[in-house]
Amino acid sequence: MKKKITIAIDGHSSCGKSTMAKALAKRIGYAYIDTGAMYRAVTLYCLEHGMIDGDNVNKPRLRRHMPKIEITFKVGQEGKSETWLNGKNVEKEIRGMEVSNKVSLVSAIGFVRRAMVAQQQAMGKNKGIVMDGRDIGTVVFPDAELKVFITASAQVRAERRFKELQSKGDTTTTLEEVLANVEERDRIDSTRKESPLRRASDALLLDNSNLTIEAQDEWLYQEYLKKVQ
Ligand code: DC
């Protein structure tokens, strides 16, 4: 049997990290954890409880509520992992523009990050996991055996996200709005004080602007094999 390792996949928003991470996890029988979904679920909780006013998050209230926020993943009917927040399936809601527009504010808060990182480390303590996010190779699992940092141009990422929204029935959001959201999130994610998005010095860099999904999946699989053989 091959040894189990930890695989950390970080990168900019909407660059196909989760597609790639999920495909690898399925192929090699590892658990997959989408850490962005966890920050999105906290953001949804804040919105549902009136804790966000414009660009302002009511931090004292959120801090008091943190112990009440329970995020889990369950495999849904189509065999896909879905995000649950306090006993409710929120997979669809956390992908909408309302959450996307506020998630960078919530994920920049130190006590939110510390709570999420602790849960992520617990989920990965037995290895055999593919985790994607922004700080997995730098903060959550600095000792991960395989680290990848993915990027693609903002335009390419916005087009991909736009198509995804359309395929989910969103006919009101424009490509320009999606591009603005992608660029704004890049800016906030890379300049925030708490765990800014950056490539770990030992992470492999992949720009997938011109790669097919099949080509990037195969590349990642070969990198995985190098680590376990
Ligand atoms: O990957 P995503 O677009 O679903 O992530 C949503 C937001 O959460 C994104 O703006 C950055 C933040 N995030 C983070 O700060 N740290 C992570 N490990 C994952 C996501």
Side-chain angles (χ1 to χ4, degrees):
M1 211 172 103
K2 290 193 170 70
K3 69 169 178 178
K4 276 192 177 176
I5 62 168
T6 302
I7 303 174
I9 308 211
D10 290 303
H12 290 103
S13 59
S14 307
C15 64
K17 286 189 302 292
S18 59
T19 308
M20 188 180 180
K22 260 183 234 162
L24 179 69
K26 197 170 169 199
R27 186 164 178 180
I28 65 178
Y30 275 25
Y32 162 68
I33 301 292
D34 173 358
T35 64
M38 298 171 73
Y39 291 98
R40 286 172 179 272
V42 178
T43 306
L44 179 65
Y45 185 94
C46 292
L47 287 166
E48 283 177 341
H49 290 79
M51 293 181 191
I52 304 182
D53 182 12
D55 278 352
N56 245 328
V57 182
N58 186 332
K59 292 193 194 116
R61 254 191 90 203
L62 176 56
R63 190 193 282 272
R64 282 198 301 278
H65 278 247
M66 279 314 286
K68 290 194 243 173
I69 305 182
E70 200 206 2
I71 301 163
T72 51
F73 294 100
K74 289 186 194 170
V75 178
Q77 280 177 347
E78 290 163 29
K80 290 184 186 156
S81 167
E82 293 175 335
T83 314
W84 287 64
L85 170 63
N86 291 346
K88 187 178 148 213
N89 185 338
V90 293
E91 186 56 35
K92 189 152 185 272
E93 272 174 285
I94 60 166
R95 309 290 166 191
M97 283 306 278
E98 209 192 345
V99 169
S100 295
N101 283 335
K102 303 291 178 190
V103 64
S104 288
L105 299 173
V106 174
S107 62
I109 301 172
F111 65 80
V112 173
R113 299 205 69 82
R114 285 189 288 279
M116 295 301 114
V117 168
Q119 287 185 26
Q120 291 152 11
Q121 288 172 335
M123 290 170 181
K125 69 178 190 311
N126 296 326
K127 297 185 181 270
I129 195 161
V130 184
M131 195 172 275
D132 81 38
R134 303 293 188 287
D135 58 344
I136 311 305
T138 51
V139 176
V140 183
F141 294 120
D143 297 330
E145 289 85 350
L146 176 58
K147 297 182 187 178
V148 177
F149 189 90
I150 315 180
T151 189
S153 72
Q155 185 70 35
V156 166
R157 288 184 282 134
E159 282 165 13
R160 289 177 186 159
R161 179 106 184 90
F162 180 65
K163 277 193 200 136
E164 188 187 319
L165 284 172
Q166 286 204 317
S167 72
K168 287 183 179 158
D170 180 342
T171 51
T172 50
T173 310
T174 66
L175 177 59
E176 288 67 34
E177 282 169 339
V178 178
L179 179 61
N181 176 261
V182 164
E183 287 176 337
E184 178 64 1
R185 280 206 283 154
D186 281 358
R187 191 187 64 73
I188 302 180
D189 292 347
S190 347
T191 56
R192 69 179 176 215
K193 217 170 78 233
E194 296 278 344
S195 318
L197 171 66
R198 65 177 178 84
R199 175 186 168 196
S201 55
D202 52 350
L204 304 171
L205 181 66
L206 177 72
D207 182 329
N208 71 6
S209 303
N210 300 307
L211 275 188
T212 62
I213 290 178
E214 293 72 30
Q216 72 169 16
D217 284 353
E218 192 52 31
W219 174 85
L220 183 60
Y221 181 63
Q222 293 304 325
E223 293 302 331
Y224 155 77
L225 287 182
K226 286 183 203 166
K227 298 289 180 185
V228 293
Q229 272 167 357

